[in-house]
Amino acid sequence: QVQLVESGGGVVQPGGSLRLSCAASGFNFNTSAIHWVRQAPGKGLEWVSFIRDDGGDKYYADSVKGRLTISRDNSKNTLDLQMNSLRPEDTAVYFCAKEELRKGFFNLWGRGTLVTVSS
Amino acid sequence: SYVLTQPPSVSVAPGQTARITCEGNYIGSQSVHWYQQKPGQAPVLVVYVNSDRPSGIPERFSGSKSGNTATLTISRVEAGDEADYYCQVWDTDSGHHVFGSGTKVTVL
């Protein structure tokens, strides 16, 4: 089955850390760029980060640069997002999404995992 | 940072046509993609590269672009089309992807 499944969300205090994971199945993960997109409660979609198929290039939104780190393990078909120095404004559902080969759009999404930053 | 502007809401009667616009300074030179998101669900791609439709998306959904405005058109609107819709582009200069502010489509 072609799918992406996120995990690792939860409640964390401001300044704390959390590590999200995205497990891929049913497609060739090794040749796919994967992104993280988030959605704060009641708000719109915000692109967060992406990593190329070989892990060589990584990009981050200005709002998270220096605090979030994206990585992947092609041997395990998994993508991670290490989140440090978390702020209340990072509270959101985090989706992982597969990009159609270098076309700039997302043709497969996970169901998301909720991160709540609160004291 | 690059901003894509959409109307917050569009209301349409069943069977009529809904048009959702997306404005951005550089849209004329970018490929625009559109997503539908229903409450509690992940987004679904409905139009890619300005006007192409993924398999399984009804022909009622179409996309176009003129100048710095892209438009998603939903013809013969049905109750099931009620959702939030987002445009998206890839800013190849920065490597960043940008979503529009989103438009809530209400079927009267």
Side-chain angles (χ1 to χ4, degrees):
Chain A
Q1 185 177 2
V2 178
Q3 64 178 0
L4 295 167
V5 179
E6 303 91 339
S7 62
V11 180
V12 60
Q13 292 188 340
S17 298
L18 208 58
R19 190 175 185 90
L20 305 184
S21 292
C22 172
S25 59
F27 64 93
N28 194 342
F29 184 77
N30 294 354
T31 59
S32 301
I34 307 292
H35 298 245
W36 287 100
V37 176
R38 70 183 181 183
Q39 186 170 37
K43 302 298 184 182
L45 300 173
E46 179 188 14
W47 174 80
V48 172
S49 178
F50 94 95
I51 185 168
R52 291 259 182 241
D53 50 3
D54 62 0
D57 288 330
K58 305 173 185 180
Y59 295 85
Y60 300 93
D62 293 343
S63 58
V64 305
K65 199 168 188 177
R67 301 187 299 116
L68 273 58
T69 303
I70 193 170
S71 61
R72 65 190 293 159
D73 186 338
N74 285 352
S75 68
K76 297 180 179 178
N77 286 4
T78 58
L79 175 82
D80 287 341
L81 186 67
Q82 178 64 42
M83 310 171 70
N84 298 330
S85 303
L86 283 165
R87 306 167 179 169
E89 54 264 36
D90 294 318
T91 294
V93 173
Y94 285 74
F95 299 96
C96 58
K98 171 183 165 297
E99 180 183 338
E100 177 66 8
L101 190 60
R102 297 187 182 249
K103 298 289 180 64
F105 60 87
F106 313 123
N107 58 357
L108 178 66
W109 294 70
R111 299 180 69 175
T113 186
L114 176 62
V115 172
T116 303
V117 184
S118 174
S119 54
Chain B
S1 60
Y2 188 40
V3 175
L4 297 176
T5 302
Q6 299 181 232
S9 62
V10 167
S11 297
V12 59
Q16 299 304 303
T17 298
R19 293 181 179 84
I20 305 162
T21 57
C22 174
E23 298 182 9
N25 288 341
Y26 310 109
I27 274 186
S29 60
Q30 297 172 317
S31 292
V32 182
H33 320 295
W34 291 91
Y35 302 87
Q36 175 194 71
Q37 186 182 33
K38 296 183 178 180
Q41 297 183 19
V44 172
L45 181 71
V46 293
V47 166
Y48 64 95
V49 189
N50 306 320
S51 58
D52 290 335
R53 229 178 8 260
S55 60
I57 300 300
E59 292 183 4
R60 302 184 296 102
F61 289 83
S62 62
S64 61
K65 197 172 66 170
S66 177
N68 285 332
T69 300
T71 302
L72 175 69
T73 300
I74 311 173
S75 304
R76 302 181 299 283
V77 166
E78 302 174 357
D81 298 332
E82 191 162 278
D84 294 325
Y85 291 83
Y86 297 90
C87 58
Q88 177 250 322
V89 301
W90 176 24
D91 180 358
T92 54
D93 286 342
S94 67
H96 292 191
H97 294 252
V98 180
F99 285 96
S101 45
T103 298
K104 181 176 181 60
V105 170
T106 300
V107 181
L108 300 171

